[in-house]
Amino acid sequence: MYCVINIQLICKVLNILCSIISCPAATRFSLNICQLFMFICRFSLLLLDLEEHYFEQHTAYNLTSRGPVANRRSSGSLKICSKSVIFEPDDAVQPILKIPLKDCKGIATLEETIYLIKEENVVAPYKYERGETKVTFQLEAPGKTEDVVQMLLQLHRASCLDKQGDQTAMVAAILQSRLARTCFDKNSFQHVTEIPHMECVAEMVSPLVTNAGHICITDCNLYFQPMNSYPDSVVQIGLHSVKRIYKRRHGLRPLGLEVFCTENDLCSDIYLKFYNTKERDELYYYIATFLENHIVECTAESYMLQWQRGHISNYQYLLHLNNLADRSVNDLSQYPVFPWVISDYSSTELDLLNPASFRDLSKPIGALNTERLERLLERYRDMPEPRFMYGSHYSSPGYVLFYLVRVAPEHMLCLQNGRFDNADRMFNSVGETWKNCLEGGTDFKELIPEFYGSDGSFLKNLLGLNLGRRQGGGRVEKVELPPWASDPDDFLEKMRLALESQYVSEHLHEWIDLVFGYKQRGCEAVAAHNVFHPVTYEGGVDCDSIEDPDHKIAMLTQILEFGQTPRQLFVTPHPQRITPRFHNLSATPSLSSSELSPVSPSMESFEDLTEESKKMAWSNMNKLALSSCLMLPDDKIVVCSSWDNNVYFYSIAYGRRQDTLMGHDDAVSHICWRDDKLYTASWDSTVKVFSISPANKKRTQFDLLAEFEHEAGVNTLDLSPAGTLLATGTKEGTLTLWDIANPLPLNQLTCHSGKIHQVAFSPDSRHILSVGEDSCLAVTDVQTGMLIATVHAELEQRCLCWDGNTVLSGGMSGDLSVWDLLSSKVIHKIPAAHSGAVTCMWMNEQCSSIITGGVDKQIILWKPEY
């Protein structure tokens, strides 16, 4: 004998059509489609209204009394939600039925009445059956019927209250009462020995929906147990696997916490919204304390330095800034924001070397069109306080789903009350969208990370969605791409190349100033035409101080729909990225009469390289912090050591950084290369030896082979021609001789009264020549370790090359000097070879080519004339 719940509808029934269309298992969109679409279970929280809660589910039967399946029972799951009742049939062909409680005329325990529920199984706009209707459900467990009826009566009363604020307050009270009557089930612990530290209630957040439940954190794991056991009975995250944690604003309130178990992924492992800031902070600090010995907390400034020096890409840097500024893929009102960088969507070929191909990154979208900006400013000047220039934001849930509707259709239906947008207003063409962003009166949207990712599914209609027909009669299918893109993969590849291009690298800091930096607020924002509605800014609205419940609900709804400005990360101008490249270098005229003359870049040894690669000088050298450099034997890679603790590998052919070795704790002062091994000297008092081999096509593997410890910072090193001996010079003037096979010193000698600038073996390995800040050139015998000669120079010499008898040195004045060590005299001088100290020098084994570099940021290639 079954008991029956009867729900009488006075208005309408929503037939929500959900899909289990197959999707490649490996596909993963940023909205985490495999998780959110719930292809295995057709029901998802996206079927609920915004801010609606899912309480419980019961096995039940829907009884129909009309239609082609009259007098049949349909088995399924009855979901009790705060604003509706949802019935999910077991038969996937039948539609899911959603019954809004506010439209119910009555709820009671009655006899059987039959209602036809669903048709087809396609993601599409919701269908409505209007008119007074009776729907009857049987619960499989009759003992629960009375409790379910009483729960529905409570929720029905809440839905019928006149004011939205009163409705929300009553549902919140019901929710908190339900949570208070339950607690975390400790049978879910992974280990019986786990020690619980804290328990509280919270909500798990995913795009557009939240799910209430219980949190428990132990000495090993973080747990979340949903009140409704959906989608799983418990979510468990091992604390040892956590890589990053962020405090989040949720609805402009400091209530969120997001946990990542990966370093560079867009998607987090869990996003939690707490009911008060104190509990959020307690959980955050517990995890942070647990992780303090395992991870390093990175700030905006630390990421800025990594980006500025080329350690991370433009894409990675923007992801990090979005994360630090509260942007999350789990919160569509704060979805990560990326810039439009290309302005050419009409050419058949995309020229990334032409600045005209790019958007002006110093201006917000709304200021790119001068005529439109003038109209906006005219309205702004006539507007009462608080004034704003743009009536819509550059990032909002609607804009995010505008781009992602083809992979996240259920999210769009959830946001827009069961409807897709008008076909002509959908994301139909990249070029049309850019044009509308330039010319539209209310369209100022930027892009999302997917435009610079590797998955082009959001540009296709892989789900076969019926998105409507445009005015011309054509169906909305895949997105129309620019002529320069052959397919979505080609489009994304060129978008990535554009984002990492020279032009964008040199100007990205200007866009960061607008979105994350000092031009985001105040007078700088006004001057940059970058002023949005006050409600979008952090601190612009204090929701907790709003006493009127209806006003508070309206404000939260506005925040959700309008979008939010990122948290301000920088209050001073953001520095420009260091972007090395090659260009021509002119020689000093006086050099033509010397025995050394500048070499033309087109010399034979470079004939297999590109013309630009032959130009042996870096532009922007004033921004590089290099201590030494060398060319690998294949003549394709330049290796540079830097005062920022790193070693950089630059491709000659492409003129860009190829890889980075981060192997020291202080400045890397000097490097040498021998037999496929890299020797690095550092101010951290060590010399290290690395083997270098390609790990894959794009990255290089560095393995530490040996380490030579010193008592002071090492400023220079050199290898004997045979590669068996190592000479090092320290900042305290000590010269040390090492056997490569043994990390213990052979000989040690204090041969300078100050820092040793450079050491060099003679070609026969019998002597070592060193120069120091004491203006001396010292010759040491390798076998005995004794100082055998000292030459005093008029000015301090910084670097040298020698053949065993004759020395070429570079001095503080910029002169090059040729010395005869037997007579201890300068036999030739090249004045003003550099307009400042000559800091480094290199000569090939044949003594036929010499390269010098100086504080004037110039590199000059020389060739001896005989």
Side-chain angles (χ1 to χ4, degrees):
M1 183 67 182
Y2 290 100
C3 291
V4 180
I5 299 177
N6 180 63
I7 304 176
Q8 288 185 313
L9 298 185
I10 197 169
C11 181
K12 60 187 176 182
V13 175
L14 301 183
N15 287 308
I16 300 179
L17 309 180
C18 297
S19 171
I20 53 170
I21 295 174
S22 63
C23 178
T27 301
R28 187 184 186 194
F29 308 112
S30 14
L31 283 179
N32 210 349
I33 299 302
C34 294
Q35 186 176 18
L36 297 175
F37 275 10
M38 305 302 172
F39 286 114
I40 297 177
C41 176
R42 292 184 301 155
F43 169 79
S44 86
L45 297 179
L46 293 170
L47 304 188
L48 278 61
D49 291 350
L50 296 178
E51 303 298 319
E52 184 174 8
H53 295 282
Y54 168 34
F55 285 101
E56 59 191 38
Q57 69 90 26
H58 301 275
T59 301
Y61 299 91
N62 173 46
L63 309 179
T64 57
S65 59
R66 59 183 182 181
V69 289
N71 302 317
R72 286 182 53 187
R73 294 192 312 170
S74 175
S75 62
S77 175
L78 187 67
K79 322 283 187 182
I80 309 302
C81 307
S82 60
K83 299 180 181 179
S84 62
V85 174
I86 296 177
F87 182 74
E88 178 190 14
D90 293 335
D91 186 350
V93 175
Q94 298 184 36
I96 293 174
L97 176 67
K98 179 176 179 179
I99 307 169
L101 291 172
K102 63 183 177 61
D103 295 331
C104 292
K105 187 175 181 180
I107 300 174
T109 303
L110 298 175
E111 295 301 323
E112 293 184 3
T113 304
I114 297 177
Y115 177 72
L116 180 64
I117 301 181
K118 190 170 181 178
E119 61 192 16
E120 301 306 328
N121 193 25
V122 179
V123 174
Y126 301 169
K127 294 185 177 181
Y128 302 87
E129 289 188 359
R130 303 183 182 277
E132 188 169 333
T133 307
K134 289 185 179 180
V135 184
T136 306
F137 298 109
Q138 289 181 229
L139 296 187
E140 190 175 63
K144 296 182 179 179
T145 302
E146 186 60 30
D147 292 338
V148 172
V149 169
Q150 293 303 315
M151 180 71 168
L152 286 173
L153 288 172
Q154 271 190 310
L155 295 171
H156 182 246
R157 282 197 298 272
S159 67
C160 293
L161 295 173
D162 293 334
K163 293 185 176 182
Q164 181 68 35
D166 293 339
Q167 294 179 23
T168 302
M170 185 171 178
V171 169
I174 295 172
L175 174 64
Q176 292 301 320
S177 175
R178 172 64 65 93
L179 290 171
R181 295 199 303 270
T182 57
C183 62
F184 182 84
D185 182 5
K186 293 182 174 59
N187 290 321
S188 301
F189 282 176
Q190 291 289 304
H191 308 286
V192 294
T193 58
E194 286 187 60
I195 302 173
H197 168 75
M198 171 189 175
E199 291 184 42
C200 64
V201 293
E203 297 175 13
M204 187 167 68
V205 178
S206 54
L208 298 181
V209 295
T210 61
N211 199 13
H214 294 271
I215 287 176
C216 182
I217 188 167
T218 71
D219 56 337
C220 301
N221 295 290
L222 170 65
Y223 297 95
F224 177 78
Q225 200 166 65
M227 172 183 63
N228 47 39
S229 298
Y230 177 87
D232 299 301
S233 59
V234 68
V235 177
Q236 177 258 328
I237 295 175
L239 295 182
H240 67 279
S241 66
V242 175
K243 296 293 188 296
R244 296 176 289 146
I245 52 173
Y246 296 97
K247 292 181 180 180
R248 295 288 190 222
R249 291 176 300 160
H250 191 275
L252 289 182
R253 303 168 69 195
L255 300 175
L257 181 69
E258 194 162 22
V259 179
F260 291 79
C261 294
T262 56
E263 289 291 352
N264 296 309
D265 205 338
L266 268 172
C267 302
S268 64
D269 290 79
I270 194 168
Y271 186 134
L272 297 169
K273 171 195 169 186
F274 294 76
Y275 294 112
N276 62 73
T277 305
K278 180 181 178 182
E279 290 180 339
R280 190 277 304 269
D281 290 347
E282 182 178 349
L283 188 69
Y284 172 86
Y285 288 118
Y286 180 79
I287 299 177
T289 302
F290 181 87
L291 299 176
E292 64 181 0
N293 295 323
H294 305 284
I295 63 173
V296 177
E297 182 178 3
C298 289
T299 63
E301 288 73 19
S302 64
Y303 282 128
M304 178 187 71
L305 289 173
Q306 292 182 53
W307 170 78
Q308 192 181 8
R309 296 167 180 171
H311 300 175
I312 58 177
S313 67
N314 293 341
Y315 177 83
Q316 290 172 319
Y317 186 44
L318 290 175
L319 277 187
H320 288 309
L321 293 184
N322 273 283
N323 254 324
L324 293 171
D326 283 335
R327 314 301 285 189
S328 167
V329 297
N330 284 306
D331 185 351
L332 296 190
S333 66
Q334 298 190 93
Y335 203 80
V337 56
F338 271 58
W340 289 91
V341 298
I342 295 175
S343 63
D344 179 6
Y345 296 96
S346 58
S347 299
T348 56
E349 297 291 334
L350 180 61
D351 185 1
L352 294 181
L353 297 179
N354 183 1
S357 300
F358 296 93
R359 164 255 183 110
D360 185 348
L361 290 165
S362 68
K363 299 177 181 178
I365 289 290
L368 293 176
N369 184 322
T370 305
E371 294 182 3
R372 179 179 63 176
L373 178 62
E374 285 302 319
R375 294 194 299 269
L376 293 169
L377 291 177
E378 183 177 353
R379 186 191 66 174
Y380 172 76
R381 286 188 286 265
D382 295 336
M383 187 182 296
E385 293 290 347
R387 297 187 295 173
F388 54 90
M389 296 178 185
Y390 308 114
S392 62
H393 205 256
Y394 51 77
S395 176
S396 70
Y399 287 161
V400 173
L401 295 177
F402 168 84
Y403 292 127
L404 297 180
V405 63
R406 289 168 176 80
V407 295
E410 290 186 273
H411 292 78
M412 178 64 83
L413 295 174
C414 177
L415 184 68
Q416 299 199 151
N417 298 317
R419 298 186 300 273
F420 289 134
D421 204 350
N422 180 279
D424 287 294
R425 291 197 298 266
M426 298 196 80
F427 182 30
N428 295 301
S429 162
V430 176
E432 287 181 8
T433 300
W434 169 247
K435 181 180 179 182
N436 198 58
C437 288
L438 288 181
E439 301 175 357
T442 60
D443 192 350
F444 313 107
K445 59 178 171 284
E446 293 278 10
L447 295 182
I448 55 177
E450 284 77 1
F451 279 84
Y452 303 102
S454 58
D455 190 343
S457 300
F458 73 101
L459 301 168
K460 310 170 188 178
N461 189 7
L462 297 177
L463 298 178
L465 301 169
N466 181 3
L467 299 173
R469 291 184 179 274
R470 305 187 67 179
Q471 288 185 355
R475 292 176 63 89
V476 175
E477 291 292 346
K478 62 183 180 181
V479 177
E480 180 184 347
L481 301 175
W484 45 257
S486 59
D487 56 41
D489 291 338
D490 183 49
F491 172 74
L492 293 185
E493 181 181 1
K494 288 174 179 173
M495 291 289 283
R496 290 194 298 272
L497 289 173
L499 182 64
E500 305 300 334
S501 67
Q502 183 84 14
Y503 179 90
V504 174
S505 294
E506 291 176 350
H507 295 276
L508 186 59
H509 66 287
E510 298 172 331
W511 186 84
I512 292 172
D513 284 336
L514 295 169
V515 177
F516 302 104
Y518 82 110
K519 292 184 179 180
Q520 185 195 92
R521 297 174 177 231
C523 60
E524 294 288 352
V526 175
H529 306 130
N530 193 40
V531 182
F532 294 86
H533 196 286
V535 76
T536 69
Y537 294 93
E538 181 181 24
V541 176
D542 183 3
C543 291
D544 293 328
S545 66
I546 301 176
E547 297 182 358
D548 186 333
D550 291 333
H551 184 202
K552 178 181 289 188
I553 294 299
M555 185 60 65
L556 290 172
T557 302
Q558 183 179 1
I559 291 170
L560 172 65
E561 295 178 353
F562 194 88
Q564 298 176 44
T565 300
R567 180 193 299 274
Q568 188 176 24
L569 300 178
F570 306 102
V571 294
T572 57
H574 193 287
Q576 188 179 19
R577 194 177 197 185
I578 299 171
T579 52
R581 59 184 178 183
F582 293 107
H583 72 83
N584 277 321
L585 182 66
S586 60
T588 305
S590 61
L591 298 178
S592 59
S593 61
S594 68
E595 291 186 359
L596 294 171
S597 62
V599 176
S600 166
S602 58
M603 56 186 291
E604 292 77 10
S605 60
F606 293 87
E607 63 185 4
D608 59 333
L609 302 180
T610 64
E611 281 299 314
E612 183 159 313
S613 301
K614 297 171 184 175
K615 300 167 185 176
M616 298 299 294
W618 301 92
S619 72
N620 289 331
M621 279 294 292
N622 60 315
K623 298 177 183 177
L624 291 176
L626 303 183
S627 55
S628 67
C629 61
L630 57 85
M631 187 181 293
L632 296 190
D634 60 3
D635 286 346
K636 295 180 180 179
I637 301 294
V638 172
V639 185
C640 304
S641 59
S642 174
W643 304 116
D644 65 3
N645 310 359
N646 300 320
V647 178
Y648 300 99
F649 293 71
Y650 284 92
S651 167
I652 292 290
Y654 297 100
R656 62 171 179 245
R657 182 176 61 85
Q658 179 172 295
D659 225 316
T660 303
L661 168 62
M662 295 179 281
H664 285 280
D665 299 321
D666 206 338
V668 182
S669 53
H670 204 167
I671 53 176
C672 285
W673 178 270
R674 184 68 56 84
D675 299 327
D676 295 326
K677 298 181 181 66
L678 181 68
Y679 296 75
T680 61
S682 172
W683 286 358
D684 64 6
S685 303
T686 67
V687 169
K688 295 183 179 181
V689 185
F690 296 89
S691 69
I692 299 177
S693 57
N696 53 49
K697 293 182 179 180
K698 295 184 178 180
R699 306 301 298 172
T700 302
Q701 180 173 328
F702 305 99
D703 294 318
L704 179 63
L705 302 179
E707 183 170 337
F708 300 86
E709 296 283 349
H710 294 69
E711 295 180 358
V714 185
N715 207 49
T716 182
L717 64 91
D718 191 38
L719 287 166
S720 64
T724 58
L725 299 176
L726 171 70
T728 60
T730 71
K731 297 169 71 175
E732 294 182 354
T734 301
L735 171 67
T736 306
L737 184 65
W738 308 79
D739 183 344
I740 293 297
N742 191 339
L744 297 176
L746 297 175
N747 287 304
Q748 208 165 44
L749 174 69
T750 302
C751 55
H752 291 274
S753 59
K755 180 191 301 181
I756 298 178
H757 292 309
Q758 187 174 349
V759 296
F761 279 93
S762 60
D764 59 7
S765 299
R766 295 176 57 188
H767 302 107
I768 299 172
L769 177 64
S770 58
V771 293
E773 64 180 2
D774 58 359
S775 302
C776 289
L777 287 76
V779 180
T780 302
D781 184 80
V782 169
Q783 186 173 1
T784 64
M786 296 177 62
L787 184 64
I788 58 176
T790 300
V791 177
H792 294 275
E794 293 180 359
L795 295 173
E796 181 180 341
Q797 303 298 299
R798 293 287 304 274
C799 55
L800 63 90
C801 293
W802 75 317
D803 62 3
N805 295 311
T806 305
V807 178
L808 174 67
S809 67
M812 291 293 292
S813 63
D815 297 345
L816 294 179
S817 301
V818 181
W819 298 76
D820 180 8
L821 287 183
L822 294 178
S823 63
S824 301
K825 293 181 179 180
V826 174
I827 58 176
H828 193 84
K829 180 174 287 190
I830 306 168
H834 287 266
S835 58
V838 184
T839 57
C840 56
M841 187 179 296
W842 172 86
M843 182 171 64
N844 63 1
E845 292 181 359
Q846 296 78 26
C847 301
S848 60
S849 297
I850 297 170
I851 298 175
T852 61
V855 295
D856 56 2
K857 311 305 178 186
Q858 292 186 342
I859 295 177
I860 304 177
L861 178 63
W862 307 82
K863 193 170 185 179
E865 292 183 348
Y866 299 98

